[in-house]
Amino acid sequence: MRRAPKFWWASWPGPRALQQAPGSWRNGAIARRRMRRGAPARSRLPVICIGNVVAGGAGKTPTVIALARLLWQEGHRPVILTRGYGGTESGPLLVDPDAHTAAEVGDEALLLAEAAPTIVSADRAAGAAFAAEQDADVILMDDGFQNPTLAKDLSIIVVDGATGIGNGMVIPSGPLRAPLNAQMSRADALLVIGEGKPGEAMVRRAARRAMPILRGDLTPRANPEIEGSRVLAFAGIGRPEKFFTTLREVGAEIVQTRSYPDHYPFTAEDAKDILTYAEKHELLRWLAGSARVLGVDMVPRDEQRLVGLAIQAIRTHAFR
């Protein structure tokens, strides 16, 4: 499990990116061919996919949670479908937060299950068939945008406004999962989270394709235990720097930061190391009980427009 290299997020390809260009061209060609595969399975339920065009955190999981809650409010019964990244279970299975662990179903699946019934399935088509057996009327798919095995009724790509598509190259030279044009041609809408020139560049690309453009923000939840406190900040997410910035914005005094790879499975040795540092710097009373989580929510700037796109996809599903 590796961290994304910093040169991915430069505004243009540098020497290190160009050195790996042959691998990027090869991966891009493979990804393009894979996405073109025909005859995807079609679910009995409408499928709304929330994906991203790059590797790493863009905000898709908070977006799925936000959309699930909005659809509940509109009287719909969403079920969430996820691959269960980092877990051992291949599924399809219905996540039970009281029985399953992150080692079994992945950390994201447990988080998603707090918002709506969640199914883990490495096989997206099999997962959708299993979802159709549940008490649900729409599938929200977390990730899987590039996966060609399941037909989508609506695909929303999520982009971090501060980083966009980085240097614009495909893995390993850059963060793109596949060539951008191949991905944009399959997207139905763009959601930009936060501000930044890289995000605005994606807005211009989407506008040229006449795609609906949505905007939102990741907003931290109030947490008096963190606000104004001296903290050791540690995170195993796609962009830990974003988390550290948010901590400072809510008033935390960061004594030290520790960055781990995305979806990192913390070990007992990691915990011992963190607690030892905390005790040495008189942070132990805050950390020893248990680490505090700074929760965030994706807040759409136009809820009705986001919900409207989803409901339109649900209503037109029967005619496809």
Side-chain angles (χ1 to χ4, degrees):
M1 198 176 296
R2 300 173 55 192
R3 296 186 183 92
K6 290 185 178 180
F7 69 83
W8 276 12
W9 306 109
S11 55
W12 59 81
R16 292 185 64 189
L18 295 175
Q19 286 174 359
Q20 302 181 64
S24 294
W25 298 331
R26 181 179 61 253
N27 289 344
I30 293 170
R32 188 185 290 109
R33 286 197 299 270
R34 181 172 180 266
M35 291 174 67
R36 286 176 178 169
R37 289 178 186 169
R42 184 164 290 280
S43 171
R44 182 175 63 80
L45 298 179
V47 176
I48 298 174
C49 176
I50 308 296
N52 56 6
V53 295
V54 300
K60 60 180 176 49
T61 297
T63 299
V64 172
I65 292 171
L67 183 54
R69 290 173 175 161
L70 289 170
L71 287 173
W72 279 115
Q73 293 172 13
E74 294 291 327
H76 289 280
R77 304 183 310 283
V79 60
I80 298 172
L81 176 60
T82 181
R83 187 180 67 163
Y85 181 85
T88 57
E89 294 285 352
S90 60
L93 64 82
L94 186 64
V95 175
D96 181 349
D98 296 325
H100 291 125
T101 66
E104 294 169 327
V105 299
D107 54 351
E108 285 182 348
L110 294 176
L111 185 64
L112 291 164
E114 296 178 4
T118 297
I119 291 169
V120 162
S121 182
D123 184 325
R124 300 285 184 168
F130 183 62
E133 299 173 4
Q134 313 303 314
D135 181 24
D137 65 354
V138 57
I139 296 171
L140 298 184
M141 192 160 71
D142 183 0
D143 210 359
F145 169 65
Q146 294 81 9
N147 189 308
T149 62
L150 180 63
K152 292 92 170 172
D153 295 275
L154 174 67
S155 290
I156 301 174
I157 52 174
V158 181
V159 169
D160 186 325
T163 56
I165 58 170
N167 63 16
M169 296 189 73
V170 175
I171 297 170
S173 291
L176 284 173
R177 296 182 174 191
L180 185 60
N181 286 339
Q183 298 196 74
M184 294 288 285
S185 66
R186 293 175 175 269
D188 299 305
L190 170 72
L191 170 61
V192 179
I193 296 182
E195 300 292 341
K197 290 183 179 180
E200 293 308 308
M202 281 296 290
V203 167
R204 291 191 291 272
R205 287 176 180 270
R208 287 196 291 269
R209 293 177 176 269
M211 288 170 55
I213 297 165
L214 307 165
R215 295 183 183 271
D217 300 283
L218 284 182
T219 303
R221 300 172 193 160
N223 191 323
E225 289 186 284
I226 293 177
E227 297 161 12
S229 298
R230 298 174 66 243
V231 303
L232 186 165
F234 61 99
I237 57 177
R239 286 186 56 227
E241 298 82 5
K242 189 174 182 179
F243 166 63
F244 303 145
T245 298
T246 302
L247 272 177
R248 294 186 180 97
E249 289 174 348
V250 301
E253 178 189 345
I254 299 179
V255 177
Q256 188 187 65
T257 64
R258 299 203 180 181
S259 301
Y260 299 85
D262 199 11
H263 300 283
Y264 181 73
F266 288 90
T267 65
E269 193 62 31
D270 295 323
K272 180 181 177 181
D273 183 44
I274 291 170
L275 290 170
T276 299
Y277 182 93
E279 182 177 20
K280 180 180 177 182
H281 292 81
E282 300 181 351
L283 300 172
L284 186 59
R285 286 179 298 172
W286 178 80
L287 186 63
S290 64
R292 282 7 179 214
V293 175
L294 180 65
V296 296
D297 296 302
M298 198 293 287
V299 180
R301 297 185 190 177
D302 189 343
E303 287 186 359
Q304 289 307 308
R305 193 159 182 236
L306 174 60
V307 172
L309 286 173
I311 291 177
Q312 182 181 11
I314 294 170
R315 289 174 177 170
T316 58
H317 170 79
F319 302 101
R320 292 196 173 188

